[in-house]
Amino acid sequence: MPTNKLTKILHLEAEKYQDRAVFGGLARYADTWIQEAQAAFGPEHADWIQEVTDRLRAYSSLPDPAVRQEAMGALLQLLKDAPHQPGSAGAGPPERAEEEKPFPVPHVAVEPRPSPVSPAPPDTGPVRTRTGLDSPVTVLQGVGSKQASRLTRLGIHTIHDMLYLFPRRYDDYSQLKPINRLEYGEDVTIIAQVWDAGVRQTRGKGTLFKAILSDGTSSIEVTWFNQPYLADKIKPGQHIVISGQVEEYLGRLCFTSPQWELLEQELLHTARLVPAYPLTEGISANWLRRLIKRTVDYWSKRLPDHLPASVRQEAGLMDLENALVQVHFPDDKDRLEQARHRLAFDELFVLQIGLLRQRHLWRSEPGKPLPVDDAILSNFVRSLPYELTSAQQRALAQIVSDLRTDQPMNRLLQGDVGSGKTVVAATAMALTVVAGAQAAMMAPTGVLAEQHYKTLTRLLSSASWTGSPPTVRLLTGNVTGQEREDIYAGLADGSIDIAVGTHALIQERVAFKQLALAVIDEQHRFGVRQRAVLQQKGYNPHLLVMTATPIPRSLELTVFGHLDVSIIDEMPPGRQPVVTRLILPTERERAYSFVHSQIEAGHQAFIIYPLVEESDKIEARAAVEEYERLQEHVFPGLRLGLLHGRMKADEKETTMARFAQGELDILVSTSVIEVGIDVPNATVILIEGANRFGLAQLHQFRGRVGRGEHPSYCLLVSDSGSSGAQERMKAVEATNDGFELAQKDLELRGPGEFLGTRQSGLPELKMANVTDLPLVEAARDAAHRFFETDPDLSNPDNRLLARQVAQLWEEEDEKEKEEEEEEGEGEGEGEGEGAIN
Ligand code: ADP
Ligand code: MG
């Protein structure tokens, strides 16, 4: 249709207004136009045809782009008012003509297999009208069960999923150039006529299809390999659009297997920002792009906007329909940016509403206020072997005031390794017991639980702060038989005041008489669900979760947005910063003699090996071999111990205990050692394969030393010379500030890795970047303002939003459940092993 073609040309021209969209300018194209239009519309529309022709001729002589732009507006309007063409449904530009039909039969260009994609038109019968966004993709014409099952590999099951399959990137082919101005290496689009085209056999088994194209300024050769059927599509005389990178062959510029389309059709794969989707076997890029285009064209306007209009307006967001259209097929970079902004905002907004709801629900059921006695509190604090830092005091005061209210506490206690979180938690637990209730502390590994058990027993029993010291018991996977039964009984009848343990604490058989405070250490090792299970062991108990991974503000607002936060930002006095050195593998001998000298000075050392392989069996073997080598050849006179994830919990604990009591000089370990272990006499840690660990993790390792008053050292050996690895190691060398490293780690690895596999309950975000603090804050503020107007989301206007929130969080819940079921196999308690990887 001549109007389609002309409209296309005008749109291309409208990018720069340089009269370069066609060779010779629009004036020259007017000759072609008038002939084609007369043939198509017949003599009764001669006036209209002539008017378009005149304007085209005039266009080329207009003085500057601004004037041309004005003229262009009039021309496009004229084309929109095109007369009805005999024998055709409508004669407007294609975008408009097709708008009315749900899914136009596509122009099949590249693939041999025709794929007319179209859902049932909504007005063709009772069955078909039920097609909705949740319908399976098979309702789309051209998507059979085979393609549908392939699409599931991309996570696409429904039409809705397809709308939300975002491009991985965009190829920018929006730059249009005449052939004589092409430059080697650039991504560009040309419009040209086919002069000559033909298939040839190559020397191998393949074919090549070659076409010579010209746009009047020059000509260029284009080659496609092994697509002989192109001979039926690209024929001499046709106008086609080519997008791709300009290459060079034998000194001449050329294109090889570029994207191409006929000029008459709506341009999808060329001459624009072309979306590139994730692909999978059996799904070709062009096929998927066309399918998505039709899906977006038809369905985006049928997807109601779940974001309340007030929120949209206040935040100045694009509407949902436009955002979906623009994110898939952007008109330009600006609009793409706006679309991405809108969709990212959506995710964060819904996330924030979910967090607010969780908090609201918790708070709507009152907990048990604990009558904390000030005199007992100060007695207890005075009984401690050291004075609390002011940061510790501040955190403690916040916790105590929470405990006194009937709103269950939900607090995150954050503090760098060694900042002294344990004693703060211990104090809160002591106060709980004095107030007549029970407390529990859950740690991710048996080693750590044991350590806490000892610390608590010591802190709670040593002093004269109250009548009789509370009964504290340790419950790990290691505790079995009668002992375990006794603990169950003691917790149930209230004769045990405090339980310290691992996942063993959240087993079904564990029941408390009156659990009023649940503490979770190293919370990033646990899922939200596990946290919830422990909470459910009491009636709305107060919850304190602790983490040594400093949490950048943006994550604090997202992942932990439903918690109050206390920060211990001060180290106990007398700590010396750990001296960190990056050493070359060739300097290992020197490192060993340094370790030796520290031990001679009466101290102890850690030597850490990374997870070398996926399998912890192999990892364990590597650790065993290294351990033997070190013992026999490097440190023959010293006492070495070995710790790895394949050891039984009691073996691990025995080794740890021996190290803690100074019976071992060197502890050789895999990453099981990572969390929380406290041995103040250890002054040096040598980390092999340091490049394999995250920055935050390295900082955790480093925190194993420097816990006493002695100068301490951390030696990093990297087995990669890559500049990225070097840079990361240097960052650890350069600062002892865990917060700074966490921020950097988050930037380098992204939130998923940073937080560990569980992501601490953060729903999957497709578009939003949780490190984008301004956006996170904007979404959060908007969510807070909105939430006050309808905290239960019961207003019918907010029905769609409520559904989104439920979906986002339900999916997350399901995922975690599945994970736990997989994990649960064999391990029973899930204890210990969790710490390996
Ligand atoms: P983390 O915050 O990493 O869990 P811990 O609670 O294990 O740190 O404390 C680290 C070490 O610091 C422990 O040996 C503890 O006894 C000691 N400690 C904690 N608070 C103080 C303090 N106020 N003064 C001196 N030492 C302290
Ligand atoms: Mg700790």
Side-chain angles (χ1 to χ4, degrees):
M1 211 190 308
T3 44
N4 285 359
K5 198 155 128 190
L6 180 56
T7 308
K8 198 68 48 190
I9 291 172
L10 294 183
H11 278 301
L12 292 170
E13 170 61 23
E15 273 163 24
K16 296 239 169 83
Y17 302 106
Q18 291 174 330
D19 200 20
R20 290 218 172 107
V22 280
F23 172 65
L26 292 181
R28 184 155 153 198
Y29 185 75
D31 299 339
T32 312
W33 152 259
I34 196 167
Q35 281 174 22
E36 289 180 3
Q38 278 166 356
F41 294 103
E44 68 266 40
H45 297 296
D47 287 351
W48 179 79
I49 296 170
Q50 192 57 50
E51 188 176 352
V52 175
T53 311
D54 290 346
R55 283 176 188 267
L56 286 174
R57 290 206 171 115
Y59 183 88
S60 294
S61 53
L62 293 174
D64 62 62
V67 185
R68 291 199 193 115
Q69 187 168 355
E70 226 167 88
M72 179 64 72
L75 252 171
L76 285 169
Q77 189 53 49
L78 201 55
L79 282 178
K80 275 193 187 156
D81 302 335
H84 186 81
Q85 194 182 353
S88 109
E95 292 85 353
R96 229 178 122 218
E98 283 164 5
E99 212 164 78
E100 318 312 330
K101 295 182 276 166
F103 272 50
V105 174
H107 185 109
V108 179
V110 174
E111 278 161 287
R113 179 176 172 278
S115 50
V117 179
S118 110
D123 50 3
T124 50
V127 180
R128 296 181 147 199
T129 49
R130 282 210 296 271
T131 301
L133 285 155
D134 294 328
S135 302
V137 288
T138 43
V139 303
L140 304 175
Q141 264 181 41
V143 182
S145 59
K146 205 151 144 207
Q147 287 305 78
S149 86
R150 288 168 174 161
L151 285 169
T152 60
R153 293 203 295 261
L154 300 173
I156 300 183
H157 304 270
T158 63
I159 292 173
H160 185 274
D161 295 338
M162 183 149 330
L163 290 176
Y164 277 86
L165 179 75
F166 297 135
R168 278 181 297 124
R169 61 181 165 84
Y170 303 82
D171 291 319
D172 186 356
Y173 293 133
S174 56
Q175 185 190 202
L176 184 73
K177 271 194 164 186
I179 295 174
N180 68 351
R181 287 184 40 234
L182 295 183
E183 279 163 41
Y184 173 74
E186 67 184 342
D187 288 323
V188 74
T189 294
I190 61 166
I191 299 179
Q193 198 168 18
V194 182
W195 273 13
D196 192 17
V199 183
R200 273 202 283 131
Q201 225 40 57
T202 61
R203 258 170 290 161
K205 276 188 195 140
T207 62
L208 55 83
F209 176 72
K210 245 188 216 305
I212 308 286
L213 309 182
S214 168
D215 65 355
T217 69
S218 184
S219 63
I220 191 163
E221 193 172 89
V222 186
T223 309
W224 286 270
F225 291 101
N226 299 323
Q227 297 181 48
Y229 52 84
L230 289 182
D232 295 333
K233 320 251 175 208
I234 300 178
K235 295 181 179 159
Q238 273 172 331
H239 283 94
I240 69 172
V241 186
I242 296 283
S243 287
Q245 198 173 50
V246 180
E247 299 178 11
E248 200 178 71
Y249 182 66
L250 298 176
R252 281 197 301 191
L253 297 182
C254 62
F255 286 101
T256 310
S257 301
Q259 291 281 2
W260 71 276
E261 278 168 297
L262 293 178
L263 183 57
E264 290 100 292
Q265 69 193 57
E266 187 181 5
L267 300 181
L268 264 195
H269 315 302
T270 61
R272 62 179 309 144
L273 287 169
V274 178
Y277 295 97
L279 295 176
T280 179
E281 211 191 318
I283 301 284
S284 84
N286 285 10
W287 182 83
L288 185 59
R289 199 177 293 123
R290 274 198 303 270
L291 180 66
I292 290 183
K293 173 73 165 118
R294 284 174 211 116
T295 310
V296 170
D297 280 352
Y298 183 81
W299 286 102
S300 60
K301 49 174 82 60
R302 287 167 174 79
L303 180 65
D305 201 330
H306 55 267
L307 214 53
S310 60
V311 173
R312 217 161 56 214
Q313 269 155 23
E314 265 174 53
L317 298 173
M318 198 179 235
D319 64 68
L320 184 60
E321 176 190 342
N322 256 311
L324 285 171
V325 170
Q326 292 296 327
V327 82
H328 287 286
F329 299 96
D331 286 341
D332 53 45
K333 287 184 178 159
D334 264 7
R335 261 168 278 194
L336 171 59
E337 211 23 69
Q338 283 175 39
R340 294 178 59 96
H341 179 76
R342 153 74 211 244
L343 295 166
F345 185 95
D346 274 14
E347 289 182 329
L348 293 172
F349 182 82
V350 171
L351 176 77
Q352 291 292 339
I353 295 284
L355 291 169
L356 286 166
R357 275 198 61 67
Q358 241 180 58
R359 200 184 156 85
H360 181 72
L361 288 176
W362 280 339
R363 298 196 154 213
S364 58
E365 271 182 79
K368 186 177 158 25
L370 295 173
V372 176
D373 186 318
D374 279 323
I376 292 184
L377 171 59
S378 57
N379 266 349
F380 182 81
V381 170
R382 233 177 293 128
S383 83
L384 294 171
Y386 37 70
E387 207 171 306
L388 293 180
T389 63
S390 52
Q392 283 171 319
Q393 287 173 24
R394 203 168 50 233
L396 187 57
Q398 288 166 337
I399 292 167
V400 167
S401 88
D402 284 358
L403 294 179
R404 283 176 169 148
T405 70
D406 65 355
Q407 294 209 320
M409 169 170 77
N410 273 290
R411 189 168 285 280
L412 174 71
L413 179 58
Q414 178 188 324
D416 206 346
V417 273
S419 60
K421 296 181 288 293
T422 318
V423 66
V424 173
T427 309
M429 294 169 88
L431 297 172
T432 303
V433 174
V434 177
Q438 290 169 299
M441 180 187 247
M442 182 160 74
T445 65
V447 174
L448 198 53
E450 168 115 0
Q451 181 185 296
H452 284 327
Y453 169 72
K454 286 191 180 137
T455 306
L456 282 170
T457 316
R458 201 181 61 230
L459 292 175
L460 301 183
S461 65
S462 68
S464 52
W465 57 280
T466 181
S468 62
T471 312
V472 185
R473 295 297 293 267
L474 175 68
L475 181 59
T476 65
N478 214 18
V479 176
T480 52
Q482 192 52 46
E483 195 187 351
R484 194 171 187 124
E485 294 302 320
D486 290 348
I487 293 178
Y488 286 159
L491 290 173
D493 68 18
S495 59
I496 297 177
D497 301 306
I498 292 178
V500 181
T502 55
H503 298 71
L505 284 175
I506 52 174
Q507 301 306 304
E508 225 173 288
R509 288 206 46 211
V510 177
F512 288 80
K513 178 157 186 255
Q514 196 181 70
L515 179 65
L517 171 63
V519 179
I520 296 181
D521 192 23
E522 308 293 347
Q523 67 79 34
H524 63 287
R525 295 288 189 161
F526 296 98
V528 177
R529 193 173 190 77
Q530 292 170 316
R531 219 149 70 187
V533 174
L534 182 59
Q535 264 179 304
Q536 279 152 21
K537 299 277 178 195
Y539 175 73
N540 286 332
H542 297 285
L543 178 71
L544 180 67
V545 301
M546 307 201 286
T547 181
T549 307
I551 302 186
R553 174 95 180 131
S554 58
L555 286 190
E556 187 185 311
L557 293 181
T558 46
V559 185
F560 304 105
H562 50 321
L563 301 176
D564 296 314
V565 179
S566 295
I567 300 179
I568 305 185
D569 54 4
E570 181 187 352
M571 287 290 171
R575 291 282 169 78
Q576 303 190 31
V578 178
V579 176
T580 304
R581 285 286 169 268
L582 178 54
I583 61 172
L584 298 170
T586 50
E587 296 171 318
R588 203 178 263 120
E589 291 304 321
R590 279 177 52 204
Y592 288 153
S593 42
F594 181 74
V595 168
H596 213 276
S597 68
Q598 284 292 304
I599 291 165
E600 268 168 8
H603 300 306
Q604 291 164 282
F606 296 101
I607 299 182
I608 307 293
Y609 287 91
L611 181 81
V612 218
E613 298 284 334
E614 282 296 293
S615 131
D616 60 355
K617 227 183 249 173
I618 298 174
E619 178 210 5
R621 201 178 61 220
V624 172
E625 278 168 16
E626 268 307 302
Y627 162 74
E628 285 168 356
R629 185 185 71 85
L630 290 170
Q631 179 74 80
E632 278 167 35
H633 303 291
V634 185
F635 302 108
L638 301 181
R639 300 162 301 172
L640 271 63
L642 173 65
L643 209 62
H644 63 72
R646 297 288 278 189
M647 285 164 65
K648 289 217 184 73
D650 58 340
E651 293 170 350
K652 275 191 279 197
E653 266 149 44
T654 312
T655 306
M656 251 334 286
R658 292 183 62 207
F659 186 70
Q661 283 152 24
E663 291 168 22
L664 295 173
D665 301 309
I666 300 178
L667 188 61
V668 178
S669 175
T670 60
S671 57
V672 277
I673 198 73
E674 182 192 345
V675 286
I677 299 303
D678 187 32
V679 181
N681 190 43
T683 54
V684 56
I685 183 165
L686 170 66
I687 305 172
E688 294 278 354
N691 50 297
R692 295 164 192 264
F693 297 107
L695 297 184
Q697 212 180 355
L698 286 174
H699 185 65
Q700 288 285 322
F701 285 139
R702 177 165 60 184
R704 297 309 109 223
V705 299
R707 298 172 80 85
E709 70 272 28
H710 321 288
S712 298
Y713 308 89
C714 170
L715 307 175
L716 305 172
V717 192
S718 160
D719 57 21
S720 155
S722 89
S723 61
Q726 290 295 316
E727 192 196 325
R728 295 186 322 127
M729 300 303 95
K730 287 234 166 70
V732 180
E733 195 180 42
T735 179
N736 263 298
D737 184 339
F739 191 85
E740 206 180 309
L741 288 173
Q743 185 70 44
K744 205 163 190 138
D745 202 23
L746 178 63
E747 282 161 23
L748 288 170
R749 297 193 304 163
E753 293 254 330
F754 176 81
L755 291 165
T757 46
R758 292 284 174 93
Q759 292 203 1
S760 298
L762 182 68
E764 190 199 348
L765 303 175
K766 289 179 180 161
M767 187 59 86
N769 173 0
V770 288
T771 62
D772 182 348
L773 185 57
L775 184 62
V776 167
E777 280 178 334
R780 178 171 180 268
D781 292 348
H784 275 256
R785 278 195 303 273
F786 172 77
F787 193 71
E788 275 169 21
T789 66
D790 185 15
D792 298 314
L793 295 181
S794 53
N795 184 334
D797 290 349
N798 300 328
R799 194 175 34 91
L800 287 169
L801 180 64
R803 219 179 83 172
Q804 289 273 323
V805 173
Q807 267 172 6
L808 189 72
W809 290 92
E810 257 164 37
E811 275 165 24
E812 181 50 35
D813 212 37
E814 286 304 308
K815 238 175 30 206
E816 203 177 303
K817 235 191 243 164
E818 277 166 28
E819 255 174 50
E820 261 167 43
E821 273 156 22
E822 276 165 28
E823 243 173 47
E825 283 164 27
E827 240 299 307
E829 314 257 295
E831 183 221 317
E833 301 298 289
I836 299 166
N837 19 14

